[in-house]
Amino acid sequence: MATGLTLRTNSETRLPAYFYRLSSRAQRTYLKSDSVERFDFVPNVAARNSLDALMRVLESGNLAATATCARALTGDICRGLATPPVIVEVRGVRPRNTRGELHGLFYPYDPRMRRQPYIVLWMRTAQRHDVVKPKTFVRTLMHEIGHYLDYALLRLEDSYHTQGFFRRESSLVRALFNS
């Protein structure tokens, strides 16, 4: 079992319909993901300073500075959880389609393309090109880091949006903002 985790032992989670269409191997991955409630991450001074810097720089609308601060915060979290760092790219205006705006993406390691895992975030809204609210941006970053940690820390074969996943995401957000 990986360290830095808290497991939920008594789960009465109602599973989504698509769970039953997954292979038995994928179902095991889903259930393992759902059983982990939080990452035992305690922000150190560097992480708190990186968060403060990110919150300040976002309001300025400076793309390069936002990317630098997002990378610093991500690096602090990865170090705090003893995982390898993940690449973070911040782009300008969010892409949009009929279903809505895209806030962020996580790309896992791809051995065929020899591509390292990385995160892409957008810092401006699609319609009005406003800078995203700082807390929304940080929550999106924590969501994508959560996907990365599913692979790097939990060693899951896939990263599903389970109740456990959203609890882990929230645990990272609470750790940062309540420290």
Side-chain angles (χ1 to χ4, degrees), residues 13-24 26-27 30-31:
T13 304
R14 186 170 180 195
L15 298 170
Y18 76 86
F19 171 84
Y20 301 98
R21 293 189 300 272
L22 297 173
S23 70
S24 60
Q27 286 179 353
Y30 184 99
L31 293 172

Side-chain angles (χ1 to χ4, degrees), residues 37 51 53 60 65 74 76 80 88 110 113 127 137 157 162-164 179:
E37 285 195 316
L51 174 65
S60 75
T74 301
D76 293 334
V88 177
D110 186 343
M113 297 179 69
Q127 188 114 359
F137 185 89
E157 292 181 12
T162 64
Q163 286 185 15
S179 60

